[in-house]
Amino acid sequence: LGLKYHYIRDDIVQRASTAGKDGSTVSSLCAFCARMKRGNLYTCARENNCNKLVLAQHLDDCAESFLMSVMHNGFIRTMKANYRINAGDVSVIRPLVYCRESLMTEFAKAQNLPVINENCPACFEEPKERARVKKLLSREETLYPNLYDHVRRALIPVMHDDSTSIMRSYLESTVAKSRKVPGGGKKSRGKAGPGGDEKGAPAPGVAAGTPPPSSLGSATEEELVAELARRRAAKYKLSGAMRRLPDQGNGGGTNGADLPEDATGQMCSLNGGDGMIPCRELME
């Protein structure tokens, strides 16, 4: 392809032996190595006036990272497909996130690509969590052959650059509202007030104690994320449910012609008999 290659040498293992607390060895060599390697890649990109860093993680990697985040961190997250780093000068893209690892292996063999054997000293220590999760997914795939197709579809919104901030905003808001008031008492319940479900309780996606912004121009970053979450939730919250029609509150019947079109065309039975109606009419 006529590309210029760059070889970066860095004794990360040696640096890890003194980079921990009070000069000790780091608690996780893998995490430290990942951060150091990424920093070296950013530096190389800047020095060569590149604004895109292309990484080769595939669908198997994203699925494993998702499960590890849920099981060990209690947070829905995986590797992003396209995002800009905090410094703002380099974008990271992962064009292979929809490709299976087996497909990439077959391509590498067919094209006789050079393969570098694993030589990380930390990777010889077994068992490793990522290897264990890989085996777990492999076992499930023998039972559900379409597993990775479904995982790919489920991860599409999680791969979006905004998803982590939005979900963390909801998480922090929910955790804050669930805490007890200092002094041993629980939060008092009151009438609904502006910007929240109850007085003193912020709306979903708004951190506790954060008033709604008077205008987006003066809003903080957290308030902008919360507002984005509210608007997107309002757009999609009726997905899969029947929209309430104006005449339903007056005892009027539901006219199937007035309902939004159901692309699935699914039919359901009210009582197990032959009378079938569109499933959307039951999705209240």
Side-chain angles (χ1 to χ4, degrees):
L1 297 178
L3 299 176
K4 182 180 179 180
Y5 292 89
H6 303 272
Y7 183 82
I8 304 172
R9 179 183 293 274
D10 189 0
D11 194 348
I12 296 177
V13 175
Q14 178 62 34
R15 294 170 60 183
S17 63
T18 57
K21 186 177 181 180
D22 299 328
S24 61
T25 303
V26 296
S27 58
S28 173
L29 180 57
C30 289
F32 178 79
C33 181
R35 291 195 301 271
M36 294 299 102
K37 287 191 295 185
R38 186 63 63 87
N40 286 334
L41 290 173
Y42 293 158
T43 301
C44 182
R46 294 185 181 107
E47 291 175 348
N48 291 275
N49 298 318
C50 298
N51 60 1
K52 283 282 192 298
L53 176 61
V54 184
L55 302 180
Q57 281 91 359
H58 41 70
L59 179 59
D60 296 53
D61 289 327
C62 293
E64 294 156 13
S65 295
F66 172 77
L67 282 182
M68 291 168 66
S69 178
V70 170
M71 292 189 296
H72 300 293
N73 299 323
F75 194 73
I76 298 176
R77 178 173 53 193
T78 190
M79 291 177 281
K80 306 298 181 187
N82 184 1
Y83 68 97
R84 187 176 294 274
I85 67 174
N86 292 335
D89 58 341
V90 177
S91 294
V92 177
I93 61 175
R94 293 184 171 97
L96 301 176
V97 290
Y98 291 165
C99 299
R100 292 296 309 276
E101 181 179 21
S102 56
L103 180 65
M104 298 173 64
T105 302
E106 293 171 2
F107 178 82
K109 291 180 178 179
Q111 299 298 320
N112 293 319
L113 297 181
V115 177
I116 300 175
N117 292 326
E118 181 61 70
N119 59 3
C120 174
C123 291
F124 295 120
E125 302 173 8
E126 294 291 345
K128 285 296 178 184
E129 185 60 15
R130 184 170 289 274
R132 191 183 71 82
V133 173
K134 182 185 291 290
K135 291 179 181 179
L136 184 152
L137 287 168
S138 179
R139 289 195 302 268
E140 292 301 309
E141 191 177 17
T142 61
L143 299 175
Y144 307 102
N146 295 327
L147 172 67
Y148 275 91
D149 290 335
H150 298 160
V151 169
R152 175 186 56 80
R153 181 177 178 85
L155 290 181
I156 288 176
V158 186
M159 291 179 186
H160 195 279
D161 192 15
D162 296 333
S163 63
T164 299
S165 299
I166 292 174
M167 287 188 290
R168 188 173 295 281
S169 176
Y170 278 120
L171 174 64
E172 292 176 354
S173 172
T174 303
V175 170
K177 288 192 291 186
S178 66
R179 293 196 182 106
K180 294 182 179 180
V181 176
K186 292 184 177 181
K187 289 184 177 180
S188 59
R189 300 180 63 85
K191 295 181 180 179
D197 297 331
E198 300 171 0
K199 290 183 178 180
V206 182
T210 303
S214 56
S215 67
L216 293 181
S218 61
T220 65
E221 182 178 342
E222 289 76 14
E223 291 170 340
L224 288 174
V225 170
E227 180 63 21
L228 175 63
R230 278 195 294 265
R231 294 189 182 190
R232 290 189 172 178
K235 181 178 180 181
Y236 294 108
K237 67 181 179 180
L238 289 177
S239 177
M242 182 180 69
R243 185 183 299 275
R244 186 175 296 278
L245 299 177
D247 62 345
Q248 285 184 308
N250 300 324
T254 299
N255 186 352
D258 296 331
L259 289 171
E261 183 179 356
D262 182 10
T264 65
Q266 292 179 322
M267 302 295 290
C268 297
S269 172
L270 285 173
N271 54 10
D274 296 332
M276 305 294 287
I277 64 171
C279 291
R280 62 188 179 187
E281 297 186 17
L282 296 177
M283 294 181 181
E284 180 61 52

